[in-house]
Amino acid sequence: MTTDADLKNATSDTAWQDDVRAGVRHVRDLALLPLSPAERAAAQEAAVRHKVRAPKTYLDLIDWNDPADPIRAQVIPSPDELVETEGELDDPIADHAFSPVPRLTHRHADRVLLFPTYQCAVYCRFCFRKESLTSIGRGYTREALEEAYAYIEAHTEIREVILTGGDPLSLPDKALAEIRARVEAIAHVRLLRIHTRVPVVLPSRITPGLVGALQGRLMVTIVTHFNHAREITPETEMGCRTLRQAGFVLLNQSVLLKGVNDTVEALEELCRELMYRLGVKPYYLHHGDLARGMAHRRTTIAQGQALAAALRARLSGICNPVYVLDLPEGGGKVPLGPCHVEAQDGDNWRIRGLDGGVRVYRDVVGE
Ligand code: SF4
């Protein structure tokens, strides 16, 4: 059982480094895990295709007696990853095609993605950026971001800077403070958004030093990436509470993954625990991107729509994520439903209610 003293200790400024060191950092560390010889050989083969890494506390959540464990499915390489299916892509949402300068993607006028690092605290098997993480493999340097800062400065339409990657919160506090200071020095930027798996897989990294590095002029929104209720623990609860109490807005995006969270019960529990226990608003439920070697984890869109409709009926609005697809070729994130409009006839709209019954709503507007 985790005590308050354990939790306090876990947020000391260096405890997270022990957690990383005691986890899996290289293919050879798979030998430390309770896998059968056949499972280990298969995992080692698949890890050649996409790097392997997971902190110890995250690995400790795995029930090793269950080959279908939802945490295991997210981080332990599977031979299914070696099966590539026609239509899968290296760059599923066209980050590179919309990259005017290194380390930056500008797809929508008012916001940019900034990639301070291509390294992560965990390498998720389903990652849609895994080709960048594998082939580029670059870490943070101040110089690497100079062109990106100059680009943001020159484009006054940019309001939001989204740190993504790679995982920005895997960087040292000093680097994060530098990046935050450079971004907030650009007057037209209004919001700093951070997309991260760190609060999920390495909550000991949420330290006073990290919080201090991110506090400044800008509104900071941290978008976490929980995929299953089993990832919600006393440690993640404490990490999220620290971030909330520091004044950051917390949202979560999940990926719909076959065998991990593709049941209405799993998603319902995840969304409720996110909102009620962590104070993290479920924001997006992503349909699986066309990342290579991931056919075994993707559902069909029709399956996703059925799940989204069931969630809509069961969960309050604040607990409900929007089911979206990030379109190939940079088409952006679009909602996939559910759509409750059945038909329109002039001013009359036939709309299906949450109870399945159809009502007519008439547009009544002034001249
Ligand atoms: S932490 Fe994010 S960027 Fe890194 S492997 Fe996982 S999904 Fe990909």
Side-chain angles (χ1 to χ4, degrees):
M1 190 180 144
T2 312
T3 65
D4 282 356
D6 290 337
L7 288 175
K8 249 199 177 70
N9 190 37
T11 57
S12 76
D13 266 358
T14 54
W16 63 274
Q17 292 165 358
D18 298 335
D19 198 0
V20 169
R21 270 193 290 268
V24 166
R25 291 186 291 166
H26 309 283
V27 178
R28 62 176 177 271
D29 297 336
L30 290 168
L32 305 172
L33 303 179
L35 297 167
S36 70
E39 288 170 336
R40 187 171 308 124
Q44 282 167 340
E45 199 186 335
V48 172
R49 186 74 184 77
H50 175 38
K51 291 191 283 191
V52 64
R53 180 177 291 173
K56 179 158 188 318
T57 43
Y58 192 67
L59 291 168
D60 285 347
L61 300 178
I62 296 175
D63 173 359
W64 294 102
N65 295 315
D66 178 7
D69 180 274
I71 312 290
R72 175 180 177 152
Q74 295 184 61
V75 289
I76 303 300
S78 154
D80 292 336
E81 294 169 34
L82 298 171
V83 180
E84 290 196 7
T85 308
E86 198 187 332
E88 293 183 330
L89 301 165
D90 281 342
D91 183 11
I93 65 168
D95 281 337
H96 296 304
F98 289 84
S99 177
V101 296
R103 305 269 184 145
L104 181 140
T105 290
H106 194 184
R107 213 178 339 253
H108 309 290
D110 66 343
R111 54 203 185 271
V112 290
L113 302 179
L114 185 63
F115 301 86
T117 176
Y118 291 94
Q119 293 168 1
C120 303
V122 66
Y123 289 114
C124 312
R125 307 321 301 169
F126 51 83
C127 180
F128 73 90
R129 292 215 173 97
K130 64 183 168 188
E131 302 301 327
S132 299
L133 306 179
T134 303
S135 62
I136 299 173
R138 289 173 301 185
Y140 169 75
T141 65
R142 206 175 299 161
E143 298 69 36
L145 297 183
E146 287 302 336
E147 273 187 82
Y149 294 137
Y151 181 90
I152 298 167
E153 195 144 24
H155 287 258
T156 53
E157 72 276 22
I158 295 169
R159 296 281 175 273
E160 295 183 29
V161 173
I162 302 165
L163 305 185
T164 187
D167 197 319
L169 296 192
S170 67
L171 293 173
D173 297 342
K174 189 163 170 273
L176 288 170
E178 261 173 23
I179 296 164
R180 193 256 309 143
R182 289 297 301 270
V183 171
E184 73 181 12
I186 302 170
H188 52 266
V189 175
R190 308 282 302 278
L191 182 88
L192 182 66
R193 222 198 293 175
I194 299 172
H195 288 186
T196 176
R197 280 275 270 170
V198 160
V200 185
V201 302
L202 188 61
S204 51
R205 177 70 188 93
I206 313 296
T207 60
L210 178 136
V211 167
L214 298 177
Q215 284 176 319
R217 169 181 77 83
L218 290 170
M219 166 69 78
V220 174
T221 297
I222 295 183
V223 184
T224 61
H225 185 168
F226 289 87
N227 288 322
H228 195 277
R230 286 254 312 281
E231 296 172 325
I232 298 173
T233 63
E235 289 79 9
T236 55
E237 191 177 346
M238 185 174 181
C240 289
R241 192 186 316 134
T242 302
L243 294 171
R244 275 193 288 109
Q245 288 176 348
F248 307 140
V249 173
L250 299 190
L251 305 171
N252 184 74
Q253 45 188 350
S254 303
V255 182
L256 180 57
L257 293 166
K258 193 197 282 184
V260 173
N261 58 13
D262 63 330
T263 65
V264 67
E265 291 78 18
L267 289 171
E268 182 181 1
E269 188 185 5
L270 170 65
C271 294
R272 285 196 203 282
E273 292 300 290
L274 280 167
M275 194 65 239
Y276 299 154
R277 185 168 166 193
L278 300 188
V280 177
K281 160 85 183 102
Y283 172 45
Y284 285 140
L285 173 64
H286 286 263
H287 185 74
D289 297 289
L290 293 170
R292 290 198 188 281
M294 275 298 113
H296 64 293
R297 290 280 168 229
R298 270 192 295 274
T299 66
T300 63
I301 288 180
Q303 288 166 332
Q305 286 177 318
L307 288 167
L311 286 181
R312 185 81 231 166
R314 291 185 184 206
L315 294 171
S316 65
I318 200 164
C319 291
N320 239 302
V322 180
Y323 176 46
V324 293
L325 172 65
D326 221 328
L327 282 168
E329 300 168 24
K333 246 176 237 106
V334 291
L336 296 176
C339 177
H340 287 257
V341 176
E342 300 270 319
Q344 181 195 2
D345 179 12
D347 288 344
N348 290 325
W349 295 79
R350 289 174 56 77
I351 301 176
R352 190 167 27 86
L354 294 176
D355 59 0
V358 175
R359 277 86 169 176
V360 174
Y361 173 90
R362 189 163 63 87
D363 281 329
V364 180
V365 296
E367 290 306 312

